[in-house]
């Protein structure tokens, strides 16, 4: 069974610390980002049929609504939260392009955004080397991962470590669920 990523999935979800079976359909439309509010800010993709559709449909059946100005609001909130982070300028334009030119179906939007994030990391090209480091020197690997995780909130979108830590964010994903994500055909 393929695992569907939530909208701009959290680090904790990618690490496998949040069970996909515990997610409700509406959770696939939401992400949590940093804000001046201690709880953070929730961004929600509007779906055709609103909350009643989220209650009765599966995530793979949700269509994105063009209601409101959600793309501008999301991009502005992401820029306000992370615009000063060192890697923001390197990945934000590609993510913004996907959001602005969003597809009809929510699942495709979520997968496209995940692919952009993993491409930025060079995930497919480097994960095996990271695994070798972990296996050869587990204490060193664990120290790196703990140090990096101390700089982010794992409940927030994985955008946070990407913008803040850049390619080193891959150290946060070793025990995650990325191998189960559906591939994107380009």
């Amino acid at each position: 069974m393929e695992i569907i990523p939530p909208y701009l999935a959290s680090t904790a979800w990618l690490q496998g610390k949040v069970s996909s079976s515990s997610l409700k359909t509406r959770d696939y439309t939401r992400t949590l980002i940093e804000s001046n509010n201690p709880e953070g800010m929730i961004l929600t993709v509007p779906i055709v049929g609103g909350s009643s559709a989220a209650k009765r449909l599966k995530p793979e059946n949700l269509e994105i609504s063009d209601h409101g100005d959600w793309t501008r609001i999301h991009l502005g909130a992401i820029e306000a939260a992370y615009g000063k982070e060192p890697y923001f300028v390197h990945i934000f334009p590609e993510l913004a392009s996907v959001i602005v030119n969003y597809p009809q179906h929510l699942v495709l939007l979520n997968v496209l955004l995940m692919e952009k994030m993993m491409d930025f990391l060079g995930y497919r090209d480097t994960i095996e080397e990271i695994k070798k480091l972990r296996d050869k020197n587990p204490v060193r690997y664990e120290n790196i991962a703990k140090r990096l995780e101390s700089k982010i909130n794992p409940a927030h979108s994985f955008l946070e470590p990407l913008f803040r830590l850049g390619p080193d964010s891959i150290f946060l994903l070793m025990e995650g669920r990325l191998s189960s994500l559906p591939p994107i055909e380009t």
Side-chain angles (χ1 to χ4, degrees):
M1 181 177 119
E2 291 180 345
I3 295 178
I4 300 167
Y7 176 61
L8 296 170
S10 70
T11 302
W13 185 85
L14 283 165
Q15 292 172 325
K17 295 178 181 175
V18 175
S19 167
S20 287
S21 63
S22 71
L23 296 180
K24 296 178 179 167
T25 298
R26 70 173 184 194
D27 296 326
Y28 289 89
T29 68
R30 298 177 174 181
T31 194
L32 180 66
I33 63 169
E34 188 174 89
S35 78
N36 55 6
N37 180 345
E39 291 84 37
M41 175 188 282
I42 296 174
L43 301 177
T44 304
V45 177
I47 55 172
V48 174
S51 62
S52 68
K55 290 177 186 171
R56 61 183 167 75
L57 298 175
K58 293 181 178 180
E60 54 270 19
N61 297 327
L62 297 178
E63 292 184 14
I64 300 172
S65 171
D66 60 2
H67 179 74
D69 197 10
W70 74 271
T71 58
R72 184 187 60 77
I73 292 166
H74 286 212
L75 296 175
I78 292 167
E79 185 170 7
Y82 304 114
K84 294 185 179 183
E85 297 294 348
Y87 293 92
F88 181 84
V89 297
H90 300 286
I91 187 173
F92 182 73
E94 286 193 41
L95 296 171
S97 177
V98 172
I99 291 170
V100 167
N101 301 299
Y102 62 90
Q104 180 179 359
H105 290 91
L106 177 71
V107 169
L108 184 55
L109 172 67
N110 295 355
V111 171
L112 288 169
L113 289 167
M114 184 62 59
E115 283 287 316
K116 292 289 184 192
M117 291 190 281
M118 294 307 111
D119 288 348
F120 175 73
L121 286 179
Y123 183 84
R124 287 179 183 92
D125 297 332
T126 57
I127 194 63
E128 291 307 316
E129 291 301 316
I130 301 297
K131 287 178 182 176
K132 287 178 189 174
L133 170 65
R134 180 195 61 190
D135 295 343
K136 186 175 180 180
N137 196 334
V139 173
R140 180 173 182 219
Y141 170 82
E142 188 65 30
N143 288 338
I144 292 169
K146 282 182 182 177
R147 180 179 52 82
L148 293 173
E149 192 161 336
S150 74
K151 298 175 184 289
I152 60 139
N153 181 339
H156 289 175
S157 169
F158 190 64
L159 293 177
E160 186 165 295
L162 281 181
F163 293 147
R164 191 167 292 156
L165 307 170
D168 288 348
S169 302
I170 198 166
F171 283 94
L172 300 170
L173 303 179
M174 285 301 299
E175 306 306 324
R177 56 171 47 104
L178 291 178
S179 61
S180 305
L181 292 178
I184 290 293
E185 294 181 23
T186 54

